[in-house]
Amino acid sequence: MPMISDFDRAILKHNKNIIIYVFCLSGCVNFLMLTGAIYMLQVYDRVLLSKSGSTLFFITLMMLVLYLALYFFDVYRQKMLAIVGRDIEEQLTRPLFHISLHASLKRAQHDRQNWAVRDLEEVGRFMAGSGLLAIFDLPWMPMFVVVCFLFHPLIGIITVGAMIAVIALTVAGEMIAKRPTREVTAASRARQRAAESAQRGAEVAEAMGFSQALANRFIDMSREYHRTSGRLATLLIEIGTMTRTIRIAIQSFLLGIAAWLVINDQATPGVMIASSIIASRALAPIDLLVGRWRSIIQARDSWTRIKQLLDQAPPPSASIELPLPQRDLTVEKLSVGPSGSPNVTVRNVTFTLNAGDVLGVIGPSGSGKSTLVRGVAGVWASAAGQVRLDGALLQQYPPDQRAQIVGYLPQDVQLITGTVAENIARFNPAATPPQIIEAAKMAGAHDMILTLPSGYATPVGEEGLMLSGGQRQRIGLARALFGQPFLLQLDEPNSNLDSTGEKALIHAIRQAHKRGAIVILVAHRLNMLEEVNKLLLVVDGEMRAFGNRDDVLASMNRPGPTALQNRNPGKSPEIALQRQESQGA
């Protein structure tokens, strides 16, 4: 991988003017850092010899003015770097957030991509910290070396030798710390994952009494983290202490060398003091880098991961806004599997639905019904095949349009932290209260919402945990119905509903049918089949039957290739389906 990638160049180009400005300010700051040494030089070599109070007053006044300028320049360059950091965060927050959302659908990449926003925060903290300032100070180190040579060649040679030793120590420390740093990062993330997973399963753990086992596992992971973190911290402490010791020793050694030069009339007393100060300043950026080395490594690794994620992200689609679909849905040889998994669980499904059709998807548990719905909705990318609305691929519609086209209620309803109204409106800031209330009424949730402590303004809690399962399902249904989408997909929408909620669901399906929407309904309760006009039978990931409801149910009662057959002529097709589903479960 090149030292500077195309992505790095794009960021540098975007902030080129500010970076050049900060570089120039760093030059001014480092030049003004000579103030103390020059002041000491003048005091020892001019004031003490002339015993002139006025000279001391004016050079002291000049020294104060220069230090004031140093303060303003240093503060200003730090503010400029903070601006660059904020600008980078603003540029990357949206794409990285979208990557994180899509990563939650891809189990194999979820852990790595879920940290994208945290990596960006790490980079932002580094941009506003002192570690980056030390990097900008490094190019100005030769200026201090030149001044040391001007004092005396021996002083310059010793300063250069000290710089080489400190740089070599820093490079060696980087090579030694690389592996422990990766181990610390991995241990930290494993511990964080364990804590988050335990929190999500706290209710089950407490009920079944294995919370102590979870605590023991977390403690073991914490011990591993502290072991690796302690080893890295010890290594960095040793390197940092050695670097500071070299710097202090060189400063004292130069003082002795300069004193020897003064004794031999090769330097002045002012040179003796000033050389020690300047040599210390020449080594200061390296000393600061070593002290901030862990944060520098973390920021570098975070930046590398960010670049990798953005390189892997699909390019933004150039889709244009199409007319909203009104005619049909066509699924062509669709094969889908769990996102992030190489396995395909639904294979070669083909069917067509026209406006106003209500399709019931039936089959044994684990046959792939939910997978099929996710594939049609575009939640899981298809391994093969296509989903078209009025002839256009679903992906050809921009995201804002898909929000108007698709309503989706998953089997496991999860609400997002916010209010009831925000969840129903899909967090659309342009949504109006009448639109939100209309969706709630279509779902039969309006009266239930009014009984909540703050009505539509009631916070749902993290993942909707402040509400019951039935309440979450009715609010999720209202969210799916919001905006009257053309394609409405409901995966077991009545699993947590009481009789009142089920009546509201049936009414919502009938209303969607009347306005010409296409409804896909995954059903386990056979009373819901009364609301469909078409059936699709899925067994072992394959479509075994599709057509009008009565025809499919009749085919299940006849001998043939359909897996769900009624083996007892005296039983109805519905009873046969129930028996087969119970066997499949």
Side-chain angles (χ1 to χ4, degrees):
M1 181 180 293
M3 291 294 291
I4 300 181
S5 65
D6 293 338
F7 181 72
D8 294 323
R9 291 190 182 95
I11 293 293
L12 291 173
K13 183 177 180 181
H14 187 269
N15 298 281
K16 179 179 67 175
N17 293 335
I18 294 181
I19 292 173
I20 293 174
Y21 195 44
V22 171
F23 181 77
C24 295
L25 285 175
S26 296
C28 295
V29 167
N30 281 273
F31 181 77
L32 291 171
M33 286 291 184
L34 296 170
T35 299
I38 295 174
Y39 178 74
M40 297 298 294
L41 185 66
Q42 295 301 313
V43 168
Y44 276 88
D45 291 350
R46 187 182 298 274
V47 174
L48 292 182
L49 292 178
S50 66
K51 297 182 180 181
S52 172
S54 60
T55 301
L56 178 62
F57 172 78
F58 281 111
I59 64 172
T60 300
L61 180 63
M62 185 176 297
M63 178 267 294
L64 293 175
V65 172
L66 291 176
Y67 273 134
L68 185 63
L70 172 63
Y71 165 78
F72 283 113
F73 286 155
D74 200 16
V75 168
Y76 200 57
R77 69 170 179 162
Q78 292 184 56
K79 290 182 178 180
M80 292 295 100
L81 288 177
I83 290 174
V84 174
R86 287 197 300 270
D87 183 68
I88 291 175
E89 288 198 60
E90 289 176 0
Q91 289 182 64
L92 302 182
T93 294
R94 182 179 294 275
L96 287 178
F97 184 77
H98 281 299
I99 288 173
S100 297
L101 288 181
H102 289 297
S104 64
L105 306 176
K106 300 180 180 180
R107 300 173 184 175
Q109 302 178 3
H110 172 68
D111 174 60
R112 186 160 61 92
Q113 293 184 337
N114 197 38
W115 286 75
V117 176
R118 300 184 192 182
D119 282 334
L120 188 58
E121 291 176 356
E122 183 69 38
V123 171
R125 283 194 297 268
F126 172 72
M127 295 294 296
S130 57
L132 187 58
L133 290 176
I135 294 175
F136 274 96
D137 287 338
L138 283 177
W140 302 99
M141 287 173 55
M143 178 180 65
F144 297 99
V145 176
V146 170
V147 174
C148 289
F149 271 101
L150 292 176
F151 285 151
H152 194 277
L154 183 58
I155 295 175
I157 291 171
I158 294 174
T159 303
V160 170
M163 290 175 60
I164 292 174
V166 173
I167 291 174
L169 185 62
T170 304
V171 173
E174 151 70 3
M175 296 176 65
I176 296 172
K178 186 176 294 184
R179 182 176 177 181
T181 300
R182 288 198 299 265
E183 291 176 352
V184 169
T185 301
S188 173
R189 295 189 173 188
R191 187 174 71 153
Q192 183 68 26
R193 287 196 305 269
E196 292 174 352
S197 178
Q199 289 170 1
R200 289 193 295 268
E203 182 178 339
V204 175
E206 187 65 26
M208 295 193 287
F210 61 89
S211 57
Q212 189 62 39
L214 292 179
N216 292 337
R217 186 181 70 154
F218 181 75
I219 290 172
D220 290 340
M221 290 184 173
S222 295
R223 286 173 180 164
E224 175 65 17
Y225 168 73
H226 289 306
R227 184 185 66 81
T228 56
S229 178
R231 187 172 62 179
L232 178 61
T234 299
L235 177 62
L236 294 178
I237 288 172
E238 291 175 352
I239 296 173
T241 303
M242 191 177 298
T243 304
R244 284 190 296 273
T245 302
I246 291 175
R247 182 172 62 85
I248 295 171
I250 290 297
Q251 188 174 359
S252 301
F253 183 68
L254 280 175
L255 192 62
I257 293 295
W260 182 81
L261 293 174
V262 171
I263 293 173
N264 290 276
D265 295 327
Q266 297 184 41
T268 64
V271 169
M272 179 180 68
I273 302 298
S275 61
S276 177
I277 296 174
I278 291 178
S280 176
R281 177 57 202 167
L283 297 173
I286 302 177
D287 189 27
L288 184 59
L289 283 176
V290 173
R292 301 289 186 272
W293 197 247
R294 188 168 181 176
S295 64
I296 292 172
I297 293 175
Q298 290 174 341
R300 182 196 63 189
D301 292 344
S302 294
W303 186 246
T304 301
R305 287 191 293 268
I306 287 172
K307 290 193 296 182
Q308 291 173 346
L309 291 178
L310 292 174
D311 288 341
Q312 296 170 6
S317 60
S319 56
I320 62 173
E321 191 165 302
L322 301 173
L324 293 178
Q326 298 178 344
R327 300 193 312 270
D328 55 53
L329 164 72
T330 302
V331 177
E332 303 172 353
K333 298 182 179 180
L334 183 66
S335 296
V336 186
S339 194
S341 170
N343 299 322
V344 174
T345 53
V346 172
R347 298 171 296 276
N348 202 31
V349 174
T350 299
F351 62 87
T352 299
L353 298 174
N354 297 314
D357 279 341
V358 180
L359 172 68
V361 181
I362 58 175
S365 297
S367 59
K369 302 185 296 296
S370 296
T371 299
L372 174 61
V373 171
R374 290 187 180 104
V376 174
V379 176
W380 286 355
S382 60
Q386 298 174 339
V387 177
R388 294 181 178 273
L389 291 166
D390 285 8
L393 291 173
L394 180 62
Q395 294 80 5
Q396 292 177 347
Y397 291 94
D400 289 344
Q401 272 200 303
R402 288 203 295 272
Q404 304 174 53
I405 296 170
V406 178
Y408 176 59
L409 179 66
Q411 187 175 12
D412 181 19
V413 181
Q414 289 189 349
L415 302 181
I416 298 171
T417 303
T419 66
V420 171
E422 287 174 327
N423 274 272
I424 293 176
R426 308 180 187 182
F427 291 86
N428 182 358
T432 63
Q435 291 174 323
I436 296 171
I437 294 173
E438 179 187 12
K441 287 182 175 180
M442 284 192 293
H446 176 69
D447 293 335
M448 179 272 294
I449 293 172
L450 294 181
T451 64
L452 297 176
S454 300
Y456 284 87
T458 301
V460 301
E462 186 175 355
E463 297 183 354
L465 294 180
M466 299 296 292
L467 305 174
S468 68
Q471 289 173 326
R472 286 198 300 271
Q473 195 151 36
R474 292 170 77 173
I475 292 173
L477 177 60
R479 179 176 61 188
L481 293 170
F482 178 80
Q484 298 186 354
F486 174 70
L487 176 60
L488 183 61
Q489 301 191 84
L490 309 176
D491 190 353
E492 295 191 39
N494 58 341
S495 58
N496 290 312
L497 296 182
D498 55 17
S499 59
T500 303
E502 193 161 299
K503 290 179 181 178
L505 170 64
I506 293 173
H507 179 72
I509 293 173
R510 291 173 179 173
Q511 291 299 112
H513 164 71
K514 287 181 180 179
R515 63 179 172 82
I518 293 175
V519 181
I520 298 179
L521 174 67
V522 176
H524 270 296
R525 297 182 187 176
L526 298 181
N527 62 319
M528 297 301 298
L529 297 184
E530 297 177 3
E531 306 305 321
V532 308
N533 67 319
K534 292 185 180 294
L535 275 181
L536 189 152
L537 174 63
V538 180
V539 179
D540 295 331
E542 297 180 354
M543 184 179 75
R544 295 294 178 85
F546 169 75
N548 293 327
R549 179 193 61 188
D550 296 337
D551 294 340
V552 173
L553 290 176
S555 70
M556 291 163 53
N557 206 24
R558 296 194 303 267
T562 302
L564 296 183
Q565 297 176 19
N566 184 6
R567 301 174 186 266
N568 187 340
K571 301 290 185 179
S572 68
E574 289 84 352
I575 296 177
L577 178 59
Q578 282 182 321
R579 184 181 66 233
Q580 185 67 29
E581 285 188 337
S582 64
Q583 292 172 354

